[in-house]
Amino acid sequence: MITVPADPFPYAFPPGKVALIVIDMQRDFVEPGGFGESLGNDVSLLRAIIPTVAELIALFRREGWPVIHTREGHLADLSDCPPSKIRRGKPSLRIGDAGPMGRIMVRGEPGNAIIPELAPIEGEIVIDKPGKGAFYATSLGADLERLGITHLVFAGVTTEVCVQTTMREANDRGYDCLLIEDATESYFPSYKAATVSMIAAQGAIVGCVAPLAALSTAVE
Ligand code: TIU
């Protein structure tokens, strides 16, 4: 077992049964001109975590542990996108509209791609998900079972939306979860702070939380 100092107690995981899930580090959320900015958000906040996420991915690759990437997006005919999701809010561009990086949140469009700094490499699983949670309507559960994974480490955006939803889905399915707090970000700093705190509250009701340095030192 490898033990990481974490909140609210040390997070122990068996190497060989752990995977990293990097949530939605795609151009639509992290680059200007995408869905995130169309919702009125400042994407520079999210861009600040890119070097930390890259370091976390490099650690997993070095150890030979699986790295799984997710992308939120929809089929070209939007048949997997609930009308309520399209209607929600008053974005300058809605899901399916043509934007500077292609159709907003549509699979295969340039904006749906993972940012080049964190691009998946040969052999890494990429999960295309229509929802906030990466387990809903995807192969993720079956993939993790096939790989014999019991412990999941999380990074990506946004902390209170897709990261938290996926961690809760994972927690309900029995996975032991760790959130790397400096490898996740929100457009709203107070939402990130509240999410990090509620995940670890009540004896890690959703999972443990630690900075990347704690994991790196434990793995060395
Ligand atoms: N990936 C993800 O979190 N999807 C969102 O729509 N997040 C927002 O914060 N809007």
Side-chain angles (χ1 to χ4, degrees):
M1 294 291 262
I2 292 175
T3 302
V4 183
D7 186 29
F9 46 69
Y11 175 81
F13 66 92
K17 288 182 179 286
V18 68
L20 171 64
I21 302 196
V22 183
I23 304 281
D24 299 359
M25 291 301 290
Q26 63 199 66
R27 299 181 68 197
D28 259 328
F29 293 117
V30 180
E31 292 189 2
F35 186 60
E37 193 178 72
S38 86
L39 291 168
N41 298 309
D42 172 8
V43 297
S44 64
L45 263 176
L46 269 51
R47 295 194 62 75
I49 64 165
I50 294 171
T52 311
V53 180
E55 212 181 300
L56 175 60
I57 291 174
L59 182 157
F60 270 71
R61 286 179 181 157
R62 217 166 35 239
E63 296 297 324
W65 301 336
V67 177
I68 298 170
H69 308 257
T70 73
R71 297 183 289 218
E72 183 177 351
H74 296 281
L75 300 171
D77 65 3
L78 304 185
S79 58
D80 62 349
C81 187
S84 61
K85 186 175 178 183
I86 301 175
R87 283 196 308 267
R88 203 58 52 84
K90 285 199 191 315
S92 55
L93 290 168
R94 289 188 186 277
I95 293 170
D97 287 351
M101 294 190 288
R103 293 180 66 204
I104 296 287
M105 293 271 275
V106 170
R107 289 184 195 174
E109 297 286 336
N112 192 234
I114 292 167
I115 56 172
E117 298 92 323
L118 305 176
I121 59 171
E122 184 78 31
E124 289 179 349
I125 293 171
V126 179
I127 299 288
D128 283 305
K129 61 184 185 62
K132 309 290 190 284
F135 286 85
Y136 168 68
T138 72
S139 64
L140 180 59
D143 291 332
L144 294 174
E145 208 159 307
R146 181 170 38 81
L147 295 169
I149 298 299
T150 56
H151 288 62
L152 292 173
V153 175
F154 286 89
V157 297
T158 58
T159 316
E160 78 281 13
V161 183
C162 292
V163 175
Q164 175 168 218
T165 302
T166 303
M167 280 191 77
R168 287 176 182 274
E169 286 184 323
N171 179 57
D172 279 348
R173 286 164 174 78
Y175 293 97
D176 209 331
C177 299
L178 174 69
L179 175 64
I180 303 299
E181 61 190 304
D182 45 352
T184 183
E185 195 48 271
S186 167
Y187 299 117
F188 308 92
S190 63
Y191 291 178
K192 174 182 173 177
T195 303
V196 167
S197 146
M198 77 177 73
I199 280 171
Q202 303 178 77
I205 191 83
V206 179
C208 291
V209 176
L212 175 58
L215 175 65
S216 305
T217 306
V219 169
E220 269 167 18

